[in-house]
């Protein structure tokens, strides 16, 4: 995972706005994420945080503004979006593993098809990654045979197999039982310690406190407040942030 | 009923029945392959291609699905002027392909969008998304209705006799004409069609068991 100098920008989101028909879901959002930075985005449902994440790798188009990822303008017309997407790993709330393939195949399919890596090599890398997320013994199993936490860890290994420069996590633990949440957060924490640039949409404030360099609060399509975790949690400035934190931290 | 059955007639004219069976099998097998290819193309065209392409396929499906198959056989034979077997092959393949296309298309639609999103997010070009991720899942899902269509294909092959193909049903007329034993001939041919259909059912069943081992575990 080649990392450039620590102060280079990985993501530059510049004044983007997005509408679904008449409904505006992102209002003039700007955000930069530096190389190696871990950014957590939190906020109530419908705040646009997942949408924002999906705009970063072009899954969702934006009507206004610009998004530059690793020097490539995602919002420009005729770009090779696949080339960019190969550098961005995505982990989804619903895992989205391919049910008709084994765990090992799930992890090797993209590297073999997209990066044209020979099967042997891809499988070696896959086994290394599966062992890293603690699930090597399930390499020959099918997703339907795994628990949610195990599937999500496979999903993380699958995303890492492409050696991305950036990882996007869209509520990775929201579909998991409480017991399984920590095993996934542990893997994510290890990833962060290794220096991966990560943007994580999550409700897991403990993770944000411990791992994030910056926490961002979104509501109704805009960024309300952002800051390093200690400041964000101890001294939230905006009333909306305070209201949200009081609700989410009370249990 | 004052009818003297003479089942020996069937034995006597068995060569006609065998000839007819061979023609039916030939027509059915080739149409099977062609209609799968055409059906897959329309399904992919309508599910993944830009609007002007998918609309063209929609027109194709609507035209050849809604015209009675016998009329389609006449069309390719009398209007287009193809010879009897090619006309039968084209008519049967095109007609069946519309149904197969719709079945596969509904299979594709039943795969959650998130599967394609995950594949695309890893940088996979659309070709791989379709053929490695979506289509395998879609086709496995629709094996049961596909089996139904294949049995229908065998039945519809008999329409070819109306344009002169000497397939199995045609032979019952032949035997009737030569021996006046239409009843015995038709009964025998009926049983043969049922057996053919059962073979299809068996093969599809085995195929389904073979592939579903993948998704059915656990």
């Amino acid at each position: 995972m080649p990392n450039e100098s620590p102060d280079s920008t990985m993501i530059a989101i510049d004044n983007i706005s997005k509408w679904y028909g008449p409904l505006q879901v992102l209002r003039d959002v700007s955000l930069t994420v530096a190389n190696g930075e871990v950014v957590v985005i939190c906020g109530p449902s419908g705040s646009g945080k997942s949408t924002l994440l999906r705009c970063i790798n072009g899954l969702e188009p934006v009507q206004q503004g610009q998004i530059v990822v690793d020097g490539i303008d995602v919002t420009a017309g005729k770009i090779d979006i696949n080339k960019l997407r190969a550098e961005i790993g995505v982990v989804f709330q619903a895992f989205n593993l391919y049910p008709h393939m084994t765990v090992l195949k799930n992890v090797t399919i993209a590297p073999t098809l997209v990066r044209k890596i020979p099967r042997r090599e891809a499988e070696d890398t896959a086994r290394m990654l599966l062992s890293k997320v603690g699930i090597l013994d399930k390499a020959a199993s099918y997703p339907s045979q795994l628990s949610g936490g195990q599937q999500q860890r496979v999903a993380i290994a699958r995303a890492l197999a492409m050696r991305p420069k950036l990882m996007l996590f869209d509520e990775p633990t929201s579909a998991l039982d409480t017991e399984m949440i920590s095993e996934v957060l542990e893997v994510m924490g290890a990833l962060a310690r290794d220096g991966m640039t990560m943007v994580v949409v999550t409700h897991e404030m403990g993770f944000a406190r411990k791992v994030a360099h910056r926490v961002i609060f979104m509501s109704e399509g805009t960024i309300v407040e952002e800051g390093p975790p200690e400041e964000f949690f101890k001294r939230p400035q905006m009333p909306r942030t305070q209201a949200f934190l009081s609700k989410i931290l009370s249990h | 009923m004052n009818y003297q059955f003479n089942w020996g007639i069937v034995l006597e004219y068995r060569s006609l029945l065998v000839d007819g069976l061979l023609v039916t099998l030939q027509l059915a097998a080739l149409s099977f392959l062609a209609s799968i290819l055409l059906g897959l193309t329309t399904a992919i065209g309508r599910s993944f291609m830009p609007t002007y392409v998918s609309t063209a396929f929609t027109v194709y499906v609507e035209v050849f699905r809604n015209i009675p198959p016998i009329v389609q056989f006449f069309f390719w034979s009398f209007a287009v002027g193809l010879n009897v077997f090619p006309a039968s092959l084209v008519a049967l393949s095109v007609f069946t392909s519309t149904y197969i296309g719709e079945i596969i298309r509904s299979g594709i639609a039943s795969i959650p969008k998130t599967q394609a999103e995950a594949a695309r997010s890893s940088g996979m070009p659309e070709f791989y998304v379709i053929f490695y991720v979506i289509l395998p899942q879609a086709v496995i899902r629709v094996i049961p209705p596909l089996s139904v269509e294949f049995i229908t294909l065998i039945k519809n092959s008999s329409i070819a006799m109306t344009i002169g193909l000497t397939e199995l049903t045609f032979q019952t007329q032949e035997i009737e004409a030569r021996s006046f034993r239409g009843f015995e001939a038709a009964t025998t041919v009926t049983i043969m069609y049922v057996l053919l259909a059962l073979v299809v059912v068996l093969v599809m069943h085995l195929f389904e068991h073979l592939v579903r081992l993948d998704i059915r575990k656990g």
Side-chain angles (χ1 to χ4, degrees):
Chain A
M1 285 165 263
N3 273 328
E4 284 122 66
S5 60
D7 48 24
S8 63
T9 309
M10 179 61 76
I11 307 175
I13 299 173
D14 188 20
N15 281 100
I16 60 167
S17 289
K18 179 179 171 61
W19 286 261
Y20 282 130
L23 177 68
Q24 188 167 16
V25 291
L26 291 174
R27 300 168 196 280
D28 232 15
V29 175
S30 294
L31 173 67
T32 49
V33 178
N35 208 311
E37 202 183 353
V38 175
V39 172
V40 164
I41 305 179
C42 62
S45 305
S47 56
K49 48 192 201 299
S50 286
T51 311
L52 180 63
L53 206 71
R54 292 158 63 88
C55 291
I56 294 175
N57 77 336
L59 273 184
E60 300 280 355
V62 298
Q63 282 78 41
Q64 272 179 29
Q66 191 189 53
I67 301 177
V68 178
V69 179
D70 198 27
I72 298 172
D73 186 347
V74 177
T75 45
K78 292 190 173 281
I79 58 153
D80 187 353
I81 190 76
N82 289 324
K83 193 149 158 278
L84 176 64
R85 283 181 179 158
E87 305 298 334
I88 304 175
V90 186
V91 176
F92 299 90
Q93 181 175 351
F95 334 132
N96 294 346
L97 295 180
Y98 308 129
H100 59 302
M101 301 180 193
T102 59
V103 161
L104 190 69
K105 191 75 192 283
N106 261 275
V107 178
T108 59
I109 184 127
T112 48
L113 289 179
V114 179
R115 295 211 190 277
K116 314 282 189 223
I117 292 174
R119 201 176 58 106
R120 273 291 135 76
E121 195 186 320
E123 284 183 3
D124 288 340
T125 310
R127 286 186 214 278
M128 185 269 291
L129 289 169
L130 287 172
S131 142
K132 200 168 165 200
V133 301
I135 204 168
L136 182 58
D137 53 325
K138 299 286 185 188
S141 304
Y142 285 89
S144 57
Q145 298 170 288
L146 304 180
S147 72
Q150 292 170 322
Q151 288 188 54
Q152 195 61 301
R153 284 185 279 151
V154 173
I156 295 175
R158 179 176 70 168
L160 289 174
M162 290 291 285
R163 306 262 182 223
K165 295 182 180 158
L166 161 68
M167 289 276 280
L168 305 176
F169 294 81
D170 190 358
E171 303 210 36
T173 56
S174 295
L176 299 177
D177 287 341
T178 339
E179 316 93 63
M180 298 188 232
I181 293 179
S182 55
E183 73 196 38
V184 173
L185 291 180
E186 251 173 64
V187 171
M188 291 167 63
L191 212 55
R193 281 192 295 278
D194 284 343
M196 175 63 78
T197 314
M198 295 163 62
V199 181
V200 184
V201 172
T202 185
H203 297 298
E204 294 296 320
M205 295 302 132
F207 175 82
R209 263 206 187 102
K210 276 187 289 183
V211 182
H213 296 116
R214 229 190 327 156
V215 182
I216 293 170
F217 173 64
M218 280 186 75
S219 174
E220 290 173 16
T222 55
I223 293 179
V224 174
E225 189 168 345
E226 60 178 293
E230 322 85 55
E231 306 238 338
F232 182 83
F233 289 111
K234 291 218 186 83
R235 285 176 292 273
Q237 309 279 0
M238 311 290 292
R240 234 134 112 216
T241 321
Q242 293 162 0
F244 176 76
L245 284 176
S246 70
K247 275 199 228 131
I248 204 170
L249 293 174
S250 59
H251 43 67
Chain B
M1 194 168 69
N2 213 0
Y3 185 76
Q4 307 289 2
F5 285 90
N6 182 3
W7 296 98
I9 286 297
V10 174
L11 221 56
E12 197 181 320
Y13 287 100
R14 66 183 179 281
S15 64
L16 282 179
L17 291 175
V18 169
D19 289 343
L21 179 64
L22 286 174
V23 173
T24 293
L25 285 176
Q26 241 186 319
L27 179 61
L30 289 170
S31 300
F32 173 87
L33 292 169
S35 60
I36 290 177
L37 282 170
L38 283 168
L40 255 178
T41 312
T42 58
I44 294 173
R46 293 184 72 178
S47 306
F48 296 106
M49 299 288 136
T51 321
Y52 60 93
V53 176
S54 71
T55 312
F57 283 111
T58 306
V59 169
Y60 168 84
V61 167
E62 290 304 331
V63 166
F64 290 103
R65 177 170 60 167
N66 298 316
I67 298 175
I70 192 170
V71 173
Q72 295 190 42
F73 275 85
F74 287 172
F75 172 74
W76 295 104
S77 174
F78 303 134
V80 175
L82 295 176
N83 286 331
V84 173
F85 189 87
S88 307
L89 181 60
V90 173
L92 191 56
S93 304
V94 165
F95 176 70
T96 309
S97 74
T98 61
Y99 288 83
I100 293 189
E102 287 299 86
I103 290 171
I104 296 178
R105 186 172 73 94
S106 64
I108 291 173
S110 76
I111 305 298
K113 255 196 328 163
T114 48
Q115 284 288 300
E117 282 181 357
R120 288 178 192 133
S121 292
S122 63
M124 257 193 235
E126 202 66 4
F127 177 85
Y128 294 127
V129 176
I130 296 173
F131 284 96
Y132 282 79
V133 177
I134 304 297
L135 219 46
Q137 296 184 59
V139 170
I140 290 171
R141 276 195 192 183
V142 296
I143 290 177
L146 280 181
S147 324
V148 171
E149 279 317 309
F150 293 140
I151 295 173
T152 305
L153 179 146
I154 292 178
K155 295 187 296 181
N156 284 336
S157 70
S158 61
I159 301 174
M161 71 161 268
T162 62
I163 57 169
L165 189 66
T166 58
E167 48 75 65
L168 197 54
T169 311
F170 174 92
Q171 302 296 12
T172 63
Q173 312 286 69
E174 262 301 294
I175 298 175
E176 231 270 291
R178 299 188 193 186
S179 69
F180 297 101
R181 294 287 172 186
F183 190 92
E184 290 88 333
T187 307
T188 310
V189 166
T190 303
I191 294 170
M192 290 171 83
Y193 273 115
V194 170
L195 289 174
L196 275 177
L198 286 176
V199 168
V200 169
V201 168
L202 199 71
V203 170
M204 295 301 273
H205 192 69
L206 286 173
F207 180 64
E208 186 173 17
H209 260 255
L210 194 73
V211 286
R212 293 200 75 175
L213 212 55
D214 291 344
I215 14 178
R216 287 300 225 115
K217 273 191 187 170

